[in-house]
Amino acid sequence: MHRKRTYLVTGADSGIGALVADRLTEAGGTVIRCGIGPGMEIRADLSDPAEPARLAAAAERLAPAGLDGVALVAGIAEPSVRTVRLNYFGSLAVLRALRPLLLRSAAPRAVLVSSASSLSAGATDLIHACLRGDEAAADRAAERAIARGRGAVIYRSTKIAINRWVRRHAGGPDWAGSGIPLNVVLPGIVDTETARRTMLGDSAQARVLAEALPQPLGFPGPAAAAADAVAWAVGAENSFMAGQLIFVDGGAEVILRGEGPFRRGVRYRPAALAKMIFWSLVSRARRTNRSNAPR
């Protein structure tokens, strides 16, 4: 599945990113590991606006034939403006900068890692500023959230914005239209060193999280499950899935949303309806002509 394929993984110096890089390497892939820690092929802090272009240039030197898969795992959960810059603007800047390298592959794939915390409501002004591409306004919105004692909402707001950006663009000409399946993996609360040191380190905070994201398959969940999903999504076998939000969350999404997202069918635009009616009539006329034709 991964042999003779070249991948780039951000956030490969710890947690899910490190596991993804390990999985791909163990399965025969060549992996360019990116992060801020030691041992990385490319060291880059994606909260710095200059770094995505530098990362892409370094990737081209290391993989001049192109990239077969990109897994953007890097992210932080600080109640700070830096979280906005890294999780949203930095990640998308890297994705765009690496697209030309993906186009050199016969079977390119791209995956962003979000979070099941995006099931909760975020800061609307921050999300909208991100989706407009207005980084200055997004920074101001984050600063307002911090000033109001709501800094914790910044992380999930950046992930909500990522989810929505992918849903808007994954089916368009730059991605599915160019033969690049682009998807999102959303882990729940999983057992990583960072999680143990931060949100799981305090038992009371862990209880809050367990209520916010009920995970009937286990709390915290195995980080390996999320890594395996990312590794599959960037593999050649994932050839026909685009714009999907893949929850690897121990059942949290289904507990919290149930059948809600699927109660209503698709509402087609008038132009699409008109085309469907037209071609339905053409198809019916052809069937009638064939049935009336002399045998």
Side-chain angles (χ1 to χ4, degrees), residues 92-218:
L92 289 184
V94 168
L95 180 66
R96 294 185 183 105
L98 293 176
R99 182 174 171 273
L101 289 176
L102 287 168
L103 288 172
R104 297 176 192 175
S105 169
R109 312 284 183 260
V111 177
L112 288 152
V113 171
S114 180
S115 168
S117 68
S118 60
L119 289 166
S120 301
T124 302
D125 54 348
L126 173 53
I127 295 166
H128 287 174
C130 286
L131 291 170
R132 290 197 309 272
D134 190 338
E135 190 166 355
D139 287 351
R140 292 193 298 271
E143 288 166 353
R144 286 194 297 272
I146 294 166
R148 295 167 184 163
R150 299 186 68 239
V153 79
I154 295 172
Y155 172 74
R156 66 175 179 265
S157 297
T158 62
K159 298 302 188 180
I160 292 168
I162 283 289
N163 300 346
R164 292 179 59 181
W165 186 92
V166 169
R167 292 293 289 177
R168 288 182 181 186
H169 296 278
D174 286 347
W175 301 102
S178 296
I180 307 174
L182 171 63
N183 295 284
V184 184
V185 170
L186 299 89
I189 305 298
V190 296
D191 189 9
T192 64
E193 182 180 342
T194 300
R196 290 193 297 272
R197 189 175 64 248
T198 55
M199 55 188 175
L200 297 177
D202 176 80
S203 59
Q205 177 65 16
R207 293 284 293 272
V208 172
L209 292 170
E211 289 296 324
L213 283 176
Q215 299 181 175
L217 286 177

Side-chain angles (χ1 to χ4, degrees), residues 2 5 7 24 68-71 107 109-111 229-236 238:
H2 299 297
R5 287 176 64 80
Y7 298 99
L24 295 171
D68 299 294
V70 169
R109 312 284 183 260
V111 177
V230 174
W232 179 84
V234 293
N238 171 27

